[in-house]
Amino acid sequence: MDQQLEYAQMLEVPVSTVSVVKKKPFFKKKAKGEDDLKEQVVDSVNERMGDSVCPEDLTVPPRQETKSAFAATLADRSGRVLVAEIAAACLLAVGIFLTNVFMPASAINTFIRSITDPAPAEAAYTDFELFPVVSALSDAEVSVSDSGVITFTADCAVYPVTEGEVAAVTELENGYSVEIAHTSAFRSVINGLTDVYCSVGDEVAGNVPVGYSDGSAEVSVSMYNGGEPINGYTLSGALPVWNS
């Protein structure tokens, strides 16, 4: 027993139990004081160890503390990432604000406006003001068919029915054909021109001629909306007027 006590002192570990070996009699009876003797030995060893005894059992690794430290590390990293994201968002907002103030026509502002601002609706063809297809000084006799095709034969300049952009210029057997896009749906086509004064992509207006006819062929002017012919207008001289 003394050897066990000395060994415990050498290891400097707390003692929670001890074996007490006694010579057993032939007829064994458990000594009443055996348990008390063990407790006394344990207490005696721990008193001898004094303050050098570690209050914890060093044989059990501090798993809970390790997990807690790992969780704290993860929480710290997550917090730093969150702060970095907030700082980046603030810098981006400040950058957009300064760009809006000092560079309103920049690419990023144009892109943002294209997302946030809805595209304006196109005007209906009846919203366009129509113009005469020939000069007011011309002696051309202009007529319109039931299908909405304007025709005349004369030596004169030829004008578009309203403003737009030249979409196509085509040479045909009886002269040139000019297609003008007024919107994505509303278009007009002038056939029978002797000469053309415009090219594809040019902007045209109702008071500027797009071509010339020498009177050798009939000139026709047709209007379409979504590919369908438009006939909802009448003529006042050479001026087309929308039906009310």
Side-chain angles (χ1 to χ4, degrees), residues 132-140 142 152 154-160 190 193-195 197 206-215 219 221 238:
V133 293
V134 296
S135 170
L137 302 177
S138 174
D139 295 331
V142 182
F152 59 90
D155 182 4
C156 62
V158 181
Y159 295 78
I190 303 172
L193 297 174
T194 305
D195 294 306
Y197 302 152
N207 58 352
V208 178
V210 294
Y212 167 76
S213 172
D214 62 4
V219 177
V221 181

Side-chain angles (χ1 to χ4, degrees), residues 186-206:
F186 178 34
R187 294 176 179 247
S188 61
V189 178
I190 303 172
N191 293 320
L193 297 174
T194 305
D195 294 306
V196 176
Y197 302 152
C198 57
S199 302
V200 175
D202 289 350
E203 298 288 336
V204 297

Side-chain angles (χ1 to χ4, degrees), residues 58-90:
L58 298 179
T59 60
V60 181
R63 296 180 181 178
Q64 187 63 33
E65 293 181 1
T66 302
K67 291 181 179 179
S68 299
F70 180 71
T73 302
L74 288 180
D76 182 60
R77 290 180 180 177
S78 300
R80 284 182 289 179
V81 170
L82 180 60
V83 171
E85 291 177 350
I86 294 174
C90 292

Side-chain angles (χ1 to χ4, degrees), residues 1-21:
M1 184 174 64
D2 292 339
Q3 292 179 352
Q4 290 179 350
L5 293 177
E6 293 176 359
Y7 182 70
Q9 291 177 345
M10 292 173 60
L11 291 178
E12 294 185 353
V13 295
V15 176
S16 59
T17 183
V18 67
S19 298
V20 178
V21 181

